[in-house]
Amino acid sequence: MINYIMKKIIGTQNERAVKELMPFVQAINAFAPKISALSDAGLRAKTDEFRARVAARYKDLGGEIKGLEEAVRESTSPDEKERTKRKARDVRNRIFDDVLPEAFAVVREAGKRTISMRHFDVQIAGGVVLHEGKIAEMATGEGKTLVATLPAYLNALLGRGVHIITVNDYLARRDREWMGPIYEFLGLTVGAIQHEMSDEERKQAYACDITYGTNNEF
């Protein structure tokens, strides 16, 4: 009974998590009129602008991030390693805090212009969850493939490469072909790892800003 009453007052953990995401969604939506008014060239130019902003932020935080990543490699305690990983992720995410709302709005607009798919608010929220390194549970048909374009684009701005893992070669190839126009429209390169690829073909795919593939192939 007490648990039931408390849930009514403060909501379930999931409801609270969703509530915390709403400011992100509202901030992203606020950029929509400005972003939709841009020409195609103006929309593409946003990628260079974002890259410069992310690079400047990484310059400020890069030393701390590298120190934490080194601590993860040297840690012998699983618990300590996991805590340090989380801390490194949190610091790394701070690189993108200032850019995230506008960058997500840009990807949403690019999706509408290239593949006639505009991210719904719930998909925007899912993209924020993934960017934060958490799990977003979505049923078949709710748009997981489209959701992934948001954090993939954002994190690719750092220039360290982003890997999107799917369950089989067919989905890796399909998703690359399906979502590729969004990334390419915004000036990013995208590839897919396939089982039958040669070493040279794999190198080319890995060199892309965003690479699709299966866990086994990665």
Side-chain angles (χ1 to χ4, degrees):
M1 178 60 75
I2 291 175
N3 287 339
Y4 174 79
I5 293 172
M6 290 300 292
K7 284 181 181 179
K8 283 292 185 182
I9 294 172
I10 63 175
T12 64
Q13 182 177 358
N14 188 59
E15 288 169 343
R16 293 195 298 274
V18 170
K19 188 176 180 180
E20 289 174 0
L21 291 170
M22 291 316 296
F24 287 102
V25 175
Q26 291 165 358
I28 293 159
N29 285 336
F31 274 106
K34 172 185 172 183
I35 297 303
S36 63
L38 293 172
S39 65
D40 287 355
L43 198 60
R44 288 191 197 97
K46 281 293 179 181
T47 296
D48 290 334
E49 175 192 324
F50 294 152
R51 278 174 166 157
R53 289 163 62 183
V54 166
R57 189 67 173 142
Y58 182 74
K59 189 175 180 180
D60 294 335
L61 296 172
E64 185 177 358
I65 293 169
K66 289 177 182 177
L68 288 167
E69 290 174 343
E70 182 64 27
V72 169
R73 288 191 290 270
E74 293 180 351
S75 176
T76 56
S77 164
D79 289 342
E80 166 104 18
K81 178 174 285 192
E82 189 57 36
R83 282 194 298 272
T84 309
K85 274 185 179 180
R86 285 198 298 268
K87 187 174 181 181
R89 183 188 66 212
D90 290 343
V91 175
R92 192 161 49 242
N93 284 350
R94 281 161 49 195
I95 296 171
F96 304 98
D97 284 349
D98 181 55
V99 170
L100 187 153
E102 191 173 5
F104 273 35
V106 162
V107 176
R108 173 189 259 181
E109 181 65 23
K112 185 174 68 173
R113 295 190 192 187
T114 57
I115 62 173
S116 300
M117 295 181 73
R118 184 180 185 276
H119 304 72
F120 293 111
D121 284 358
V122 67
Q123 294 170 325
I124 291 287
V128 174
V129 170
L130 292 179
H131 169 66
E132 291 179 344
K134 300 172 184 175
I135 295 173
E137 182 179 3
M138 301 181 72
T140 299
E142 287 186 336
K144 293 185 289 293
T145 306
L146 186 63
V147 168
T149 60
L150 297 161
Y153 171 80
L154 180 65
N155 285 269
L157 296 170
L158 191 57
R160 299 177 70 176
V162 170
H163 297 164
I164 301 178
I165 300 174
T166 59
V167 296
N168 57 51
D169 271 8
Y170 164 74
L171 287 178
R173 184 173 63 254
R174 184 206 70 174
D175 291 356
R176 181 262 172 267
E177 293 172 354
W178 190 12
M179 298 294 120
I182 296 177
Y183 305 122
E184 291 166 342
F185 179 84
L186 294 174
L188 300 186
T189 56
V190 55
I193 300 292
Q194 299 284 281
H195 179 69
E196 71 279 2
M197 277 184 165
S198 66
D199 287 348
E200 185 56 37
E201 289 172 325
R202 287 173 184 270
K203 287 179 182 179
Q204 292 175 7
Y206 277 122
C208 291
D209 294 306
I210 296 166
T211 307
Y212 287 85
T214 66
N215 186 59
N216 286 341
E217 292 303 324
F218 282 130

